[in-house]
């Protein structure tokens, strides 16, 4: 009887594992692939109407006009006439793989206890088998910057591709940047503590900024000393001061942005990126003069301030781009892990409100790659770069046209099946059978 129960238990575990696990990652590319006839959106603002793209060993070897070249096709030939090909979309400032079910604490690794946590690495908590990560691929989102949350200094992000066995396989750039949540000069009354409701000046703002500056200064002093004792937070700051890590400041208000710019100067930081940056359009000259890039908040948000235009969020990226600032799009906020799959439609919304479609595409491809420091191998369709790309039936920035038929990560053809597509097939077949009756 005991043996029977054990057998049943093992069978149930096996079945459950098969139901919940992600698909097996694709094997390494062994044969060249030629895509011919597609309209190629290169990700740098250029378009080839009738393209020829060849990649092998995980790298793009040729991108050219199919009508003017005599290049011989190689390996597997994909006839993509009438379709579109794009570089894989890149999702910065994302908690993908860190949170699976928000209501289940054991599946939430986005935040740790503490205020100054530069030594924390989001990469080692990344779950490559996340069902949510898997659901990004059918919309063309193939790369992400996995970013911690919480505290004043949240920790270090890393950049991964979305088809891997584990975090080691997934990583394409480890520990790329330090993330700081800039204090807010206004605070909302906590009614549950008896405080007055509504927004009011934050009396502790100056002290909070000073505390951040002191942490940077103390880190420099520690690193300049003999370092007899080990202090992990201070030690982790070394790569920030040497310029190996970028500094990402999560900030929105005009005053806070200006203070962050001054902080960059005071701390002699080489590269700083603003994340969110709702009021950045008010200080574009300052941003440009200090060579500060922006990962603009997702456009699908309501205006934050009284008197803001209804389309303020829609036009932020275009306004900054027109001012000569390097801009990408990020998707943090409510239900951000799920909503990351809407990244191409964020860019589509920006295009619908004045930006050229190919320039809007750059917000989630080449621009973001430059901001993250990975543009040497992803972000555009160019020879020598990773074959991380996809083929769509139509315009990938439009919900009606974003129908991915093939996707490749580093030359490997990845599965586009997810829990959602399985449910779609199940219920579409159900209703099809009912119609026949």
């Amino acid at each position: 009887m005991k043996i029977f129960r054990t057998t049943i238990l093992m069978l149930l575990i096996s079945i459950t594992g098969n139901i919940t696990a992600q698909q097996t990652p694709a094997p390494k590319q062994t044969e060249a692939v030629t895509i011919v006839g597609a309209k190629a959106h290169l990700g740098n603002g250029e378009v080839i109407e009738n393209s020829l793209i060849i990649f092998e060993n995980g790298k793009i070897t040729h991108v050219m006009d199919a009508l003017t070249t005599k290049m011989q096709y190689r390996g597997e030939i994909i006839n993509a006439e009438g379709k579109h090909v794009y570089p894989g979309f890149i999702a910065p400032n994302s908690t993908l793989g860190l949170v699976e079910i928000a209501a289940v604490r054991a599946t939430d690794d986005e935040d740790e206890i503490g205020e100054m946590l530069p030594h924390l690495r989001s990469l080692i908590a990344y779950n490559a088998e996340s069902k949510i990560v898997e659901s990004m691929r059918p919309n063309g989102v193939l790369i992400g910057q996995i970013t911690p949350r919480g505290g004043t200094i949240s920790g270090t992000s890393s950049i991964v591709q979305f088809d891997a066995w584990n975090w080691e396989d997934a990583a394409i750039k480890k520990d790329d940047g330090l993330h700081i949540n800039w204090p807010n000069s206004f605070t909302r009354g906590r009614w549950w503590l008896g405080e007055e409701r509504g927004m009011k000046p934050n009396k502790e703002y100056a002290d909070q900024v000073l505390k951040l500056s002191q942490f940077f200064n103390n880190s420099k002093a520690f690193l300049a000393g003999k370092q007899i004792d080990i202090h992990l937070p201070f030690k982790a700051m070394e790569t920030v001061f040497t310029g190996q890590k970028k500094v990402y400041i999560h900030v929105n208000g005009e005053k806070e942005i200006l203070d962050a710019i001054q902080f960059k100067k005071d701390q002699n930081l080489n590269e700083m990126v603003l994340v969110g940056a709702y009021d950045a359009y008010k200080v574009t000259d300052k941003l440009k003069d200090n060579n500060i890039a922006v990962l603009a908040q997702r456009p699908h948000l309501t205006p934050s301030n009284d008197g803001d235009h209804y389309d303020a969020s829609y036009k932020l990226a275009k306004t900054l781009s027109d001012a000569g600032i390097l801009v990408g799009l990020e998707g943090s906020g409510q239900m951000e892990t799920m909503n990351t799959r809407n990244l191409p439609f964020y860019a589509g919304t920006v295009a619908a409100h004045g930006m050229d479609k190919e320039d809007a595409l750059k917000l989630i491809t080449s621009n973001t790659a430059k901001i993250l420091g990975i543009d040497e191998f992803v972000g555009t369709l160019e020879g020598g770069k990773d074959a991380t790309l996809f083929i769509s039936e139509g315009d990938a920035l439009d919900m009606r046209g974003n129908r991915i038929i093939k996707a490749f990560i580093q030359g490997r053809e990845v599965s586009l099946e997810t829990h959602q597509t399985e449910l779609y097939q199940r219920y579409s077949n159900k209703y099809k059978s009912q119609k026949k009756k």
Side-chain angles (χ1 to χ4, degrees):
M1 186 67 177
K2 185 176 180 181
I3 295 174
F4 175 76
R5 288 177 179 174
T6 302
T7 303
I8 293 297
L9 179 61
M10 294 302 294
L11 285 171
L12 287 173
I13 292 173
S14 175
I15 291 170
T16 303
N18 290 332
I19 291 173
T20 59
Q22 187 186 42
Q23 294 98 359
T24 301
K28 187 176 180 179
Q29 183 184 10
T30 57
E31 179 185 21
V33 175
T34 300
I35 302 173
V36 61
K39 182 176 181 179
H41 304 262
L42 304 188
N44 60 3
E46 299 178 16
V47 173
I48 301 176
E49 292 292 338
N50 190 342
S51 68
L52 175 67
I53 299 173
I54 303 174
F55 55 92
E56 56 184 321
N57 299 320
K59 296 289 184 179
I60 299 172
T61 58
H62 298 87
V63 179
M64 57 191 69
D65 192 324
L67 297 178
T68 60
T69 183
K70 296 182 180 179
M71 174 66 64
Q72 294 294 316
Y73 300 169
R74 301 192 59 191
E76 178 188 359
I77 299 171
I78 300 174
N79 183 353
E81 185 177 351
K83 298 177 176 58
H84 301 250
V85 61
Y86 295 84
F89 298 151
I90 305 168
N93 185 36
S94 172
T95 55
L96 284 168
L98 300 182
V99 182
E100 196 68 10
I101 304 172
V104 179
R105 183 65 184 89
T107 71
D108 188 342
D109 287 325
E110 67 176 345
D111 187 6
E112 295 293 341
I113 297 173
E115 284 298 313
M116 304 294 182
L117 306 171
H119 55 298
L120 293 187
R121 305 172 66 217
S122 64
L123 181 61
I124 60 175
Y126 175 70
N127 176 19
E129 292 190 337
S130 166
K131 276 194 171 186
I132 303 175
V133 170
E134 180 182 272
S135 70
M136 299 298 114
R137 300 193 302 240
N139 277 14
V141 183
L142 306 181
I143 299 171
Q145 181 195 39
I146 309 307
T147 305
R149 297 282 188 262
T152 301
I153 299 179
S154 302
T156 299
S157 60
S158 289
I159 302 166
V160 302
Q161 49 83 11
F162 293 153
D163 182 60
W165 290 97
N166 49 46
W167 64 262
E168 290 100 331
D169 294 336
I172 59 177
K173 186 172 184 180
K174 297 180 180 179
D175 304 322
D176 71 291
L178 183 76
H179 290 259
I180 298 174
N181 298 303
W182 196 263
N184 199 323
S185 61
F186 279 82
T187 183
R188 190 178 298 276
R190 297 170 294 180
W191 57 268
W192 60 92
L193 294 178
E195 297 177 356
E196 185 180 348
R197 293 175 183 265
M199 297 294 291
K200 56 185 178 181
N202 178 11
K203 297 178 181 179
E204 299 177 1
Y205 175 72
D207 289 338
Q208 291 168 346
V209 173
L210 179 61
K211 185 178 179 181
L212 179 61
S213 296
Q214 288 174 339
F215 180 84
F216 269 65
N217 293 334
N218 291 340
S219 298
K220 289 177 182 177
F222 171 82
L223 294 169
K226 295 182 180 180
Q227 303 180 26
I228 298 174
D229 298 322
I230 296 176
H231 192 291
L232 291 179
F234 288 166
K235 183 67 176 174
M237 294 295 291
E238 185 172 11
T239 49
V240 174
F241 300 136
T242 59
Q244 293 170 260
K245 286 180 188 172
K246 293 189 178 184
V247 175
Y248 295 86
I249 304 285
H250 299 243
V251 61
N252 282 305
E254 179 182 5
K255 172 178 172 50
E256 290 85 345
I257 291 173
L258 291 173
D259 289 344
I261 293 173
Q262 186 61 47
F263 178 78
K264 177 182 185 294
K265 295 177 181 178
D266 294 342
Q267 297 298 332
N268 195 29
L269 300 176
N270 291 330
E271 291 191 76
M272 189 175 84
V273 178
L274 300 187
V275 182
Y278 181 82
D279 281 344
Y281 70 94
K282 299 178 181 179
V283 292
T284 54
D285 290 343
K286 294 284 187 182
L287 295 176
K288 187 174 180 180
D289 291 344
N290 289 277
N291 194 31
I292 296 175
V294 174
L295 290 172
Q297 66 171 27
R298 68 192 194 201
H300 295 179
L301 291 173
T302 54
S304 297
N305 304 321
D306 291 343
D308 285 348
H309 287 215
Y310 76 93
D311 56 359
S313 297
Y314 306 151
K315 292 184 174 181
L316 176 60
K318 181 181 186 303
T319 301
L320 297 177
S321 182
D322 289 346
I325 297 166
L326 182 61
V327 186
L329 287 179
E330 60 98 15
S332 63
Q334 189 175 24
M335 301 180 71
E336 66 179 72
T337 49
M338 178 199 74
N339 280 318
T340 302
R341 72 189 69 171
N342 290 327
L343 183 67
F345 312 135
Y346 297 159
T349 297
V350 175
H353 288 80
M355 181 175 273
D356 176 79
K357 181 65 70 73
E358 298 306 318
D359 287 336
L361 175 64
K362 290 163 63 176
L363 299 175
I364 56 175
T365 54
S366 61
N367 281 12
T368 298
K370 289 176 184 176
I371 291 171
L372 301 185
I374 55 175
D375 53 307
E376 289 185 6
F377 52 92
V378 293
T380 56
L381 300 177
E382 294 182 69
K385 293 196 175 183
D386 287 357
T388 299
L389 51 91
F390 64 88
I391 303 171
S392 175
E393 291 278 3
D395 180 356
L397 303 191
D398 189 319
M399 290 183 182
R400 297 166 297 181
N402 186 298
R403 297 188 299 276
I404 313 303
I405 59 172
K406 283 185 180 292
F408 302 86
I409 294 179
Q410 298 170 336
R412 308 185 308 273
E413 183 172 356
V414 300
S415 171
L416 296 175
E417 293 301 317
T418 69
H419 182 61
Q420 284 74 26
T421 59
E422 290 174 3
L423 290 175
Y424 168 77
Q425 292 295 337
R426 179 193 302 176
Y427 288 102
S428 63
N429 290 335
K430 171 186 176 182
Y431 291 112
K432 284 177 183 177
S433 63
Q434 288 181 351
K435 284 183 180 179
K436 291 179 181 179
K437 294 179 183 180

